[in-house]
Amino acid sequence: KAGVTQTPRYLIKTRGQQVTLSCSPISGHRSVSWYQQTPGQGLQFLFEYFSETQRNKGNFPGRFSGRQFSNSRSEMNVSTLELGDSALYLCASSLLGRRGLAGESAYEQYFGPGTRLTVT
Amino acid sequence: DAKTTQPTSMDCAEGRAANLPCNHSTISGNEYVYWYRQIHSQGPQYIIHGLKNNETNEMASLIITEDRKSSTLILPHATLRDTAVYYCIVRPSSNDYKLSFGAGTTVTVRA
């Protein structure tokens, strides 16, 4: 079974531009979460999508947005890029995305390799 | 979520057990202890988690103290491929969608 894939793997943009990152979850997984990872702040939650709906959102400005398609693939967009947006953007998928009685593996998150975004 | 404290770095000899400590003195009753690791240039990888009892899987063992204020991740036979940053986090069982890592422990396995 293929893992989570993210494209592109590396990206260089200039301040003020916008960028769209793509994530394809593991086949059958319906929940997709996005994270930003920087050396200073560590891993920070951006948002989570389930069945094309944003269920949860982290504490990021409105420049960060996302969406999920009917095939569970997800994109995130960052508009008006700032230097501080340089980071590794990680996507994680899970089968159902919420803990319950069905067993831990149904809710565990599997990460993709990330997209390294550099803003100059 | 409760905060955790881990050593910044540690070295381990290949083939030996690696014992990674984590303090989580403010953990509450419904919070699980989770361990992830991140190998260079890869996304984080789930290792193991537990609530009260010690846990073991094919990757590692997790020992949680009786008062649940600290835990130890054990890699029984470390290999060079286990070189990574290891993160210990605590989170409520219902908070699955939201992970937050701190600095973690950089583990270097040496031949």
Side-chain angles (χ1 to χ4, degrees):
Chain A
K1 199 179 225 185
V4 178
T5 58
Q6 293 186 244
T7 55
R9 291 292 312 277
Y10 302 91
L11 203 51
I12 299 175
K13 291 284 189 178
T14 56
R15 276 182 300 176
Q17 287 186 311
Q18 67 97 28
V19 66
T20 299
L21 312 180
S22 181
C23 170
S24 292
I26 292 171
S27 178
H29 283 196
R30 295 168 62 189
S31 168
V32 173
S33 298
W34 287 90
Y35 294 85
Q36 181 195 67
Q37 188 175 34
T38 60
Q41 300 294 322
L43 189 78
Q44 293 186 288
F45 171 75
L46 280 157
F47 26 65
E48 185 237 0
Y49 286 87
F50 184 85
S51 293
E52 303 178 66
T53 301
Q54 186 182 90
R55 276 202 302 202
N56 300 285
K57 190 174 190 307
N59 190 26
F60 277 80
R63 299 185 297 108
F64 292 81
S65 62
R67 59 177 175 168
Q68 186 180 34
F69 303 96
S70 58
N71 61 358
S72 292
R73 190 177 71 83
S74 178
E75 290 181 345
M76 68 162 281
N77 185 78
V78 187
S79 62
T80 320
L81 284 166
E82 301 176 359
L83 295 179
D85 297 332
S86 294
L88 180 67
Y89 289 88
L90 292 156
C91 162
S93 77
S94 68
L95 186 60
L96 293 174
R98 194 173 293 282
R99 190 162 299 284
L101 300 175
E104 308 301 342
S105 64
Y107 305 93
E108 199 44 66
Q109 295 186 46
Y110 298 87
F111 284 84
T115 294
R116 174 75 61 185
L117 172 65
T118 302
V119 182
T120 62
Chain B
D1 295 351
K3 298 239 185 274
T4 62
T5 305
Q6 299 176 250
T8 304
S9 63
M10 63 183 293
D11 285 359
C12 177
E14 188 179 22
R16 304 294 294 270
N19 296 302
L20 284 64
C22 179
N23 287 321
H24 31 81
S25 58
T26 59
I27 192 171
S28 58
N30 68 337
E31 289 184 313
Y32 287 73
V33 179
Y34 274 75
W35 284 84
Y36 285 79
R37 73 179 184 184
Q38 190 168 18
I39 297 170
H40 183 63
S41 298
Q42 296 183 23
Q45 178 189 23
Y46 165 81
I47 300 174
I48 199 168
H49 76 281
L51 183 63
K52 296 180 190 176
N53 301 321
N54 298 337
E55 302 288 344
T56 295
N57 62 21
E58 65 279 3
M59 288 182 68
S61 295
L62 174 61
I63 309 297
I64 302 174
T65 58
E66 195 168 338
D67 63 8
R68 302 208 326 122
K69 293 186 177 182
S70 66
S71 59
T72 301
L73 177 75
I74 301 172
L75 308 177
H77 304 287
T79 71
L80 298 179
R81 285 178 293 182
D82 291 322
T83 293
V85 180
Y86 287 77
Y87 299 99
C88 166
I89 61 173
V90 292
R91 60 198 239 252
S93 60
S94 61
N95 201 16
D96 241 28
Y97 55 86
K98 188 176 176 178
L99 292 174
S100 178
F101 295 168
T105 296
T106 299
V107 173
T108 303
V109 180
R110 301 191 187 280

